[in-house]
Amino acid sequence: MCRILVLVGEIQGETLKLLTRALVDSARRDPYNDNDSHGDGWGYLEISLEGNVGKTVRYRSIRPIYEEEEVLRGIKPGRKILMFHARKKSPGTPLNIHSTHPVMATTRLGYELYMIHNGEFTLDPFMQEISQLLGNPRLLQEFNDTYLANLWLASKTLNEIDQSHLAKLQSTAKMANIALALLAPQETTLIVSTKYPSQKKDYAKLYHCTAQNLHIYASSTLIDYYTPTNLLNCTVLDNLTAHKYTAKNNEITGPIQLRLQA
């Protein structure tokens, strides 16, 4: 199980510093996970939304995030999308750069689809299609479930993320908090969705928080243990719900709420 953080909108320096510190602390010591760490790599995606000049940065490392805090200090505030992921890999899954989030796949129209994910997919219904996409079934052992899930979803994607395909993918998981960013020539789409079992709600829940002109999605540990009380306006995102944002012509639209039913 991993810890995630997503920001979209006008990101202020102090807010960015506070939340990335909460992510680092959660990865180093997670009270919701018997004080264990999320030390199996980390990464982030940055998509600038300022003016007509876009910038995209993807960083991934198999080192723990708490050993690379200098990288976080290099991220600047601004009008953008930021997606962070601190990984604790599932048993039997590989520890390599390909399986470190954010993972990326190319859609049928050549657009880039990025995913971070907290949970575990059961991809049996899609394995024949995924094997064909990889071209060699032996490669299945080299990638984790998130990489393979994103590969499958990208193969179904044209100019937008199909809600039914996302719901079908999420239905295979007992728990799946997902953030997706689709980079198309004329617009960028962000979708954040959640699914969690009631018996693990405290650990698995995903918060939606707001600050001035900013929306934040954060794993439970960040908000419950490492963010000062009442600093942000936070509510738990409803189970089987997704929020969608669209950035186009220098405007950010959202969140639009979606219900995910396979």
Side-chain angles (χ1 to χ4, degrees):
M1 308 292 270
C2 312
R3 300 288 82 179
I4 64 175
L5 171 66
V6 179
L7 303 92
V8 54
E10 303 285 348
I11 303 171
Q12 304 297 321
E14 285 303 310
T15 304
L16 178 60
K17 182 179 179 181
L18 170 75
L19 289 170
T20 53
R21 165 53 55 188
L23 178 61
V24 169
D25 290 342
S26 298
R28 180 184 287 114
R29 177 182 173 274
D30 191 341
Y32 276 137
N33 193 37
D34 297 326
N35 292 323
D36 201 358
S37 64
H38 302 265
D40 297 321
W42 77 285
Y44 76 91
L45 176 69
E46 174 185 2
I47 305 171
S48 174
L49 304 176
E50 295 187 354
N52 295 320
V53 180
K55 180 182 74 170
T56 302
V57 176
R58 180 171 64 144
Y59 179 88
R60 296 180 298 163
S61 171
I62 60 173
R63 295 178 62 194
I65 188 173
Y66 44 82
E67 293 182 2
E68 294 197 337
E69 293 185 62
E70 72 281 358
V71 178
L72 290 170
R73 289 192 288 269
I75 302 172
K76 304 301 181 184
R79 193 167 184 271
K80 59 184 65 177
I81 294 169
L82 283 170
M83 295 166 47
F84 297 89
H85 184 274
R87 187 182 182 210
K88 182 176 180 63
K89 74 182 190 70
S90 300
T93 60
L95 177 60
N96 56 35
I97 201 66
H98 305 293
S99 301
T100 304
H101 309 207
V103 297
M104 190 274 285
T106 304
T107 72
R108 292 164 61 187
L109 295 179
Y111 306 156
E112 294 177 352
L113 180 65
Y114 296 89
M115 177 188 289
I116 60 174
H117 165 234
N118 171 22
E120 187 174 358
F121 294 115
T122 303
L123 297 175
D124 293 349
F126 314 125
M127 291 312 293
Q128 184 174 354
E129 290 180 82
I130 292 171
S131 295
Q132 292 174 348
L133 291 168
L134 288 173
N136 185 342
R138 288 178 294 181
L139 293 176
L140 292 171
Q141 306 304 316
E142 297 186 15
F143 303 104
N144 72 336
D145 57 340
T146 305
Y147 182 96
L148 298 175
N150 195 49
L151 184 68
W152 178 85
L153 186 60
S155 75
K156 303 296 182 182
T157 300
L158 291 173
N159 59 341
E160 64 179 1
I161 300 166
D162 189 291
Q163 182 177 338
S164 65
H165 289 133
L166 176 58
K168 186 176 180 181
L169 181 63
Q170 192 138 298
S171 71
T172 71
K174 292 182 179 180
M175 171 184 167
N177 295 323
I178 305 170
L180 295 160
L182 176 64
L183 274 63
Q186 303 301 322
E187 66 180 26
T188 298
T189 302
L190 172 71
I191 295 180
V192 181
S193 68
T194 187
K195 178 184 180 181
Y196 51 81
S198 58
Q199 65 269 29
K200 289 188 176 182
K201 181 178 179 180
D202 284 344
Y203 181 43
K205 65 189 177 185
L206 190 69
Y207 278 103
H208 172 218
C209 307
T210 56
Q212 188 173 9
N213 298 318
L214 176 65
H215 290 267
I216 301 155
Y217 298 86
S219 293
S220 57
T221 313
L222 280 71
I223 303 302
D224 290 343
Y225 285 97
Y226 294 113
T227 300
T229 305
N230 299 326
L231 186 66
L232 300 170
N233 178 26
C234 296
T235 57
V236 176
L237 192 63
D238 288 342
N239 201 9
L240 291 173
T241 295
H243 283 182
K244 178 180 179 180
Y245 298 83
T246 302
K248 184 177 181 180
N249 298 328
N250 210 30
E251 296 290 335
I252 303 173
T253 303
I256 298 171
Q257 182 164 303
L258 310 173
R259 291 293 295 175
L260 296 180
Q261 298 293 339

